[in-house]
Amino acid sequence: MNSIHIPVLLNEVVEAFRDINDGVILDCTLGYGGHSKALLDTLPNIKIIACDQDDMAISYCTNKFKNYTDRIQIYKSNFSQILQKIPQENIRAILADIGVSSLQLDLNERGFALKSDILDMRMDSSNQLDAKTIVNNYSQSQLEKIFYEYGELPNAKSIANKIIIARQNKEISSAKELVQIIGNSNLQNRSVSIATLAFQAIRIEVNKELDVLKELLNSIQNSAINHARVAIISFHSLEDRIIKDKFKSWQSSCICPSEAMRCECGNNHSIGKIITKKPITPNAQEIKANSRSACSKMRIFDIKRQR
């Protein structure tokens, strides 16, 4: 298998971690190893701990990094759980690229793409819940909820209703069939299609993507990790908003409610500072080479806990 995944914001990730001279960089979303490989080659004194929940990615990277076995450890794990499985004392940086890899999107048998012959969308194929189950078994209100909240679709009710009517005649078994049912025209005043956002919503529900992102951020906050840089790449506004708000709360020293007349919390709750006031986005050259990078955003935070 040849790697066809182009790492998003690769140069920017390397630059973000350029000052990490020793210790461990935790790559929470190994994928096909593009970011980890660049970091190993650029920073000769660091080691990588990496994880992924995709068996194909792990198999591929086990072979890819066969000459780096003394510098990289690979775990099969959801990124929200990895910090509970590894030593934390030497972690100097954390990277998480929250997007779906190109290979997952492009492989017909993974059922992510609009043209796929199946409906699946599981990042971890051992999970019981898949897209086919959601589309054929969720109630009208459940479908409306995920399309509205996760796809931010104003016509969520109409899309859910189309699915309910269609599945009364026969089971919806392919992504192509689902696209025909819900339509693939662009939203008004937007360059993204209804089907793309509906598929995003279903994929988020299948993989509980927002929940695991929150769990990752909470596990970092509650860890003993200190003097470490955190860089997280997101691909849609829901993820970016969660990251932005969490980084803001991490930087805040006072956690008293806004209506409090004076600070009563001790004013010592900050765990570091935000490095990126605005998210880092890909340049025109990268977008031209990899159109899927166009919506990516990276935010960076430095953990420096008060003692």
Side-chain angles (χ1 to χ4, degrees), residues 101-302:
S101 76
S102 295
L103 194 55
Q104 287 175 327
L105 287 171
D106 293 338
L107 280 177
N108 180 64
E109 61 266 30
R110 300 305 296 270
F112 282 92
L114 301 185
K115 296 180 180 180
S116 178
D117 293 313
I118 66 169
L119 264 176
D120 194 315
M121 302 192 196
R122 290 175 295 174
M123 294 181 183
D124 182 349
S125 57
S126 67
N127 286 344
Q128 292 186 344
L129 183 65
D130 61 13
K132 184 177 178 181
T133 300
I134 289 172
V135 168
N136 287 288
N137 292 282
Y138 271 30
S139 67
Q140 167 106 16
S141 61
Q142 287 176 309
L143 289 172
E144 281 182 39
K145 184 175 187 291
I146 66 169
F147 290 140
Y148 184 75
E149 292 186 2
Y150 298 159
E152 299 181 294
L153 283 158
N155 57 337
K157 183 175 182 178
S158 172
I159 295 170
N161 190 53
K162 288 179 180 179
I163 292 172
I164 296 294
I165 292 172
R167 76 188 193 192
Q168 290 174 352
N169 298 318
K170 63 179 290 292
E171 182 181 67
I172 302 168
S173 59
S174 75
K176 292 189 293 187
E177 185 180 359
L178 181 59
V179 172
Q180 291 177 342
I181 291 166
I182 65 179
N184 198 27
S185 59
N186 284 0
L187 281 175
Q188 188 175 7
N189 300 321
R190 294 185 64 182
S191 60
V192 64
S193 74
I194 292 171
T196 296
L197 293 177
F199 272 52
Q200 170 187 295
I202 296 169
R203 194 198 73 226
I204 289 172
E205 176 69 8
V206 168
N207 298 290
K208 306 302 180 188
E209 294 176 30
L210 301 185
D211 291 337
V212 295
L213 173 59
K214 292 174 184 177
E215 289 170 13
L216 170 65
L217 293 166
N218 287 335
S219 69
I220 294 171
Q221 178 178 330
N222 297 328
S223 73
I225 294 169
N226 201 6
H227 300 291
R229 175 154 289 189
V230 179
I232 303 183
I233 301 171
S234 63
F235 286 81
H236 55 76
S237 60
L238 298 174
E239 292 171 338
D240 183 60
R241 194 176 305 132
I242 290 170
I243 298 162
K244 178 183 178 181
D245 290 346
K246 181 60 75 170
F247 282 6
K248 184 178 179 181
S249 73
W250 285 358
Q251 182 172 259
S252 179
S253 187
C254 176
I255 58 172
C256 293
S258 57
E259 63 271 16
M261 297 294 291
R262 58 186 177 84
C263 177
E264 298 178 350
C265 70
N267 199 30
N268 61 352
H269 294 275
S270 172
I271 66 169
K273 65 177 181 178
I274 296 169
I275 302 302
T276 49
K277 291 184 178 180
K278 293 184 178 180
I280 297 170
T281 56
N283 58 33
Q285 183 178 0
E286 178 174 358
I287 294 173
K288 183 177 180 180
N290 178 16
S291 61
R292 287 174 177 164
S293 71
C295 56
S296 62
K297 296 178 179 180
M298 179 167 68
R299 294 186 183 271
I300 304 172
F301 188 93
D302 269 356

Side-chain angles (χ1 to χ4, degrees), residues 26-31 49-55 57-58 73-86 123-124 126-127 212 215-216:
L26 172 60
D27 185 348
C28 295
T29 46
L30 177 62
I49 293 177
C51 72
D52 206 288
Q53 58 185 336
D54 189 310
D55 290 320
I58 292 173
Q73 292 177 276
I74 299 173
Y75 291 78
K76 179 175 181 180
S77 175
N78 186 294
F79 59 74
S80 67
Q81 302 164 353
I82 186 61
L83 281 175
Q84 284 72 53
K85 300 179 180 181
I86 63 172
M123 294 181 183
D124 182 349
S126 67
N127 286 344
V212 295
E215 289 170 13
L216 170 65

Side-chain angles (χ1 to χ4, degrees), residues 85-98:
K85 300 179 180 181
I86 63 172
Q88 298 180 9
E89 58 269 16
N90 292 322
I91 293 176
R92 296 291 172 263
I94 298 173
L95 171 67
D97 173 358
I98 309 298

